[in-house]
Amino acid sequence: MNAQTQASKNALHKSLERRHNASTSLAALWRPALLQAFVKLDPRQLLRSPVMLVVELTAVLTTLLCFVPDQAVPTSVALQIALWLWFTVLFANFAEALAEGRGKARADSLKAGSQGLSANKRRADGSFESVVASSLRKGDVVRVQAGEMIPGDGEVIEGVAAVNEAAITGESAPVIRESGGDRSAVTGNTQVVSDWLLVRIGANPGESTLDRMIALVEGAKRQKTPNEVALDILLIGLTLIFLLVVVTLKPFALFAGGNLPLVFLVALLVTLIPTTIGGLLSAIGIAGMDRLVRLNVIAKSGRAVEAAGDVHVLLLDKTGTITFGNRRCSALYAAPGVSGKELAEGALLASLADDTPEGKSIVEYLRILHPIEEPRREELTPIAFSAETRLSGVDWNGQVYRKGAVDSALRFIDLPREKMPEVLSREVDKIAQSGGTPLLVVANGRLLGAIHLKDVVKPGIRERFAELRRLGIRTVMVTGDNPLTAAAIAAEAGVDDVIAEATPEKKLARIRQEQGEGRLVAMCGDGANDAPALAQADVGMAMNDGTQAAREAANLVDLDSDPTKLLDVVQVGKELLVTRGALTTFSIANDVAKYFAILPALFVGIYPQLDVLNVMRLQSPQSAILSAIVFNALIIVALIPLALRGVRVQAADASQLLQRNLLIYGVGGLVAPFLGIKAIDLLLTAVGLA
């Protein structure tokens, strides 16, 4: 059943993904993005991107110089340079607008769903009044009945109800929310489909999950992360250095008896400063957050996502993350004198009326192992499990089939434990020692054999851990099981370490230990007892259906309440960091290449000795500068898809990733300008534009 449920979830998410892709395709976004590119020309908006602000100022200056006659520079060339400088700024704005626009359709639908909501707010005297949902504040108590929308994030303080969270998670199956325990949190804009709930609002307007989701996908109010701020400082520093370089070129030219027009110097500055990364930096960050939102994960800050990309240790709960959570049938052991088919038939019949996850897993297992003709459910007389008998099964055609705890099953057929067949007794002891649950199957007063129930490790999880290990990330399994059971499951799952008989204090101590040794730690949790550890961890991911305390302590919230999502978050974080690093490397390598490609062409007439460095043999100084400006603008366009999609992270250690990126984006960044500028130079000369 778990496999079927997961398959249906995957199908639903694929369908939603297709719809999301349709609304975020280039065909749907380019028109509004183009309009926004012009809106973003406002210098007040460009203040967030100092490099592009410099480009815009140079574009303004070049435009003004077009109206000042200069015999050294034809007006047509000056006009072309000015136009391409404006294009450079527009292309950078277009990239940012595209990144923001990818989530705008989803944001609009979320806004539409929350508009006009009302709530039944409890007064001080205990009565209820109808108010606008947007007026609710933290601490207010509201009553939500079947068919009504929950007006805001909060915690259930009374009642139990089924809630449809499809508007937020995309999952159509209703979930149960009740007061107390770890399933008490509710999310605004979700619908109660049965019964009623009394909810204490936990967030003020503008601070809810829905608001954070909208802000993330729109790119609004996005605070720069420390890494982005540091990169901005680097880019500003490089810009100032190249400004000084360009300023000193004029005196050098005059000293040698030559002259460099001001238009050329202004354009040269733009070609040398790191415009590529400066134009794409914001788009990379917004696109990274968009990928996170598509995973249905809400981040309280971009810093958490970047930290996820740098984590060294992952703390993962065993139940529901590494294992399915419900014990599943893994093996059968027949008693002496009983065939495997006979045992399988008896176990299947004893489980047909058992609707528990364990019972269903036995049926699934045996249908594959020993397919038999099953009787119809109405022919069976089900015997439900009870705490007194500790047995369940069916009566069918005068025959009695039961399964249950060892002692209870033996008592049912009046067989003392010491008279149990030795072979079967050893198998039962082995199952118990490994942390599994042994069940005995009996039929018509006869012992048929044993069933091994165990907490089954999810398929593919071992491979994912191996991939993380290649990326230099250690995995630690956290479980309340005894050390023996924990070690067995840890070995099967392939985790690097295990915390058995875990308590909140143990989790907190382990996180502090790892951090004290200089490592970043990520963990996920859903209960109030996880809150201290979530707050202490560098990356804490809470489940949306968990407690309010856990959600407040964490810096990430998974709307699907899937603990394995932490692995995907780490991947997104790494992609974000690697993409930014790769394009920064490419941009700086570009600048180095353009420096050596353009300066010899500009100065060869003044300093003939530079002819040896003029490997590109560009047609003229004005052709060189114009070709460089055109290349500078077009390379931003060429890299927009990569900035939005992100660089895929291969399973390798840091040194291998560095070597790969230096080879592709470092060497590529050096070679591309030589090829591109030469090709543009030939084209411009051929059509008579330079």
Side-chain angles (χ1 to χ4, degrees), residues 598-617:
I598 302 164
L599 285 182
L602 285 177
F603 279 87
V604 72
I606 304 171
Y607 294 99
Q609 298 90 337
L610 289 176
D611 188 63
V612 70
L613 296 176
N614 191 18
V615 293
M616 295 181 65
R617 302 294 170 184

Side-chain angles (χ1 to χ4, degrees), residues 318-319 323-328 453-457 489:
K318 181 204 74 171
T319 307
T323 64
F324 281 106
N326 299 313
R327 295 182 183 270
R328 297 165 66 87
L453 292 180
K454 70 177 232 182
D455 208 352
V456 177
V457 173
I489 295 172

Side-chain angles (χ1 to χ4, degrees), residues 28 82 88 95-96 106 153 195 268 286 317 378 433 437 457 468-469 497 501 542 558-559 572 606 638:
T88 303
E96 185 177 0
R106 182 169 185 179
D153 293 0
D195 303 293
L268 181 63
I286 295 170
D317 273 331
E378 54 268 23
Q433 287 168 5
T437 302
V457 173
L468 289 171
R469 197 174 297 112
D497 201 358
E501 297 174 344
D558 177 28
L559 300 177
V572 168
I606 304 171

Side-chain angles (χ1 to χ4, degrees), residues 307-559:
D310 274 335
V311 295
H312 304 92
V313 182
L314 285 183
L315 263 66
L316 299 162
D317 273 331
K318 181 204 74 171
T319 307
T321 307
I322 295 170
T323 64
F324 281 106
N326 299 313
R327 295 182 183 270
R328 297 165 66 87
C329 178
S330 64
L332 295 179
Y333 302 97
V338 178
S339 67
K341 188 176 180 181
E342 190 178 359
L343 170 60
E345 186 175 335
L348 180 65
L349 290 168
S351 306
L352 277 176
D354 187 352
D355 288 327
T356 65
E358 290 82 2
K360 290 175 179 176
S361 79
I362 295 170
V363 173
E364 286 176 16
Y365 180 84
L366 293 172
R367 279 173 176 168
I368 298 169
L369 191 65
H370 289 286
I372 63 170
E373 189 176 344
E374 298 174 21
R376 296 193 301 273
R377 289 289 293 262
E378 54 268 23
E379 297 176 5
L380 305 174
T381 304
I383 307 298
F385 176 87
S386 71
E388 187 179 347
T389 64
R390 298 179 69 198
L391 292 171
S392 65
V394 298
D395 293 341
W396 177 58
N397 281 347
Q399 300 183 71
V400 177
Y401 297 92
R402 297 288 189 272
K403 72 174 191 313
V406 174
D407 293 339
S408 301
L410 292 174
R411 196 181 306 116
F412 186 75
I413 60 173
D414 293 323
L415 181 69
R417 178 66 187 261
E418 58 270 14
K419 291 192 177 178
M420 183 179 170
E422 189 179 343
V423 176
L424 194 61
S425 182
R426 281 201 305 270
E427 292 296 344
V428 166
D429 290 340
K430 281 183 188 175
I431 294 169
Q433 287 168 5
S434 68
T437 302
L439 299 180
L440 291 187
V441 181
V442 297
N444 303 316
R446 184 178 173 216
L447 178 61
L448 299 182
I451 299 171
H452 184 178
L453 292 180
K454 70 177 232 182
D455 208 352
V456 177
V457 173
K458 290 181 177 179
I461 201 84
R462 187 181 182 92
E463 288 73 20
R464 295 198 72 176
F465 288 156
E467 190 174 333
L468 289 171
R469 197 174 297 112
R470 286 194 293 273
L471 288 169
I473 299 170
R474 289 171 55 244
T475 49
V476 180
M477 185 181 81
V478 181
T479 177
D481 291 338
N482 63 71
L484 184 64
T485 304
I489 295 172
E492 188 178 350
V495 295
D496 298 304
D497 201 358
V498 61
I499 303 174
E501 297 174 344
T503 61
E505 292 77 17
K506 272 192 178 181
K507 296 179 193 176
L508 198 58
R510 179 59 179 264
I511 292 171
R512 285 173 175 167
Q513 179 195 330
E514 297 284 356
Q515 290 172 334
E517 295 170 2
R519 289 185 280 271
L520 295 184
V521 182
M523 77 159 288
C524 59
D526 57 3
N529 62 343
D530 293 323
L534 288 170
Q536 181 67 37
D538 301 284
V539 180
M541 190 172 80
M543 304 296 102
N544 191 50
D545 62 2
T547 60
Q548 190 70 19
R551 295 203 299 184
E552 288 177 358
N555 44 28
L556 297 170
V557 179
D558 177 28
L559 300 177

Side-chain angles (χ1 to χ4, degrees), residues 672-689:
F674 286 96
L675 300 177
I677 292 172
K678 183 63 179 177
I680 295 168
D681 174 70
L682 293 172
L683 182 63
L684 291 176
T685 306
V687 298
L689 291 175

Side-chain angles (χ1 to χ4, degrees), residues 149-162:
M149 304 293 286
I150 296 173
D153 293 0
E155 192 158 12
V156 179
I157 58 175
E158 192 178 326
V160 56

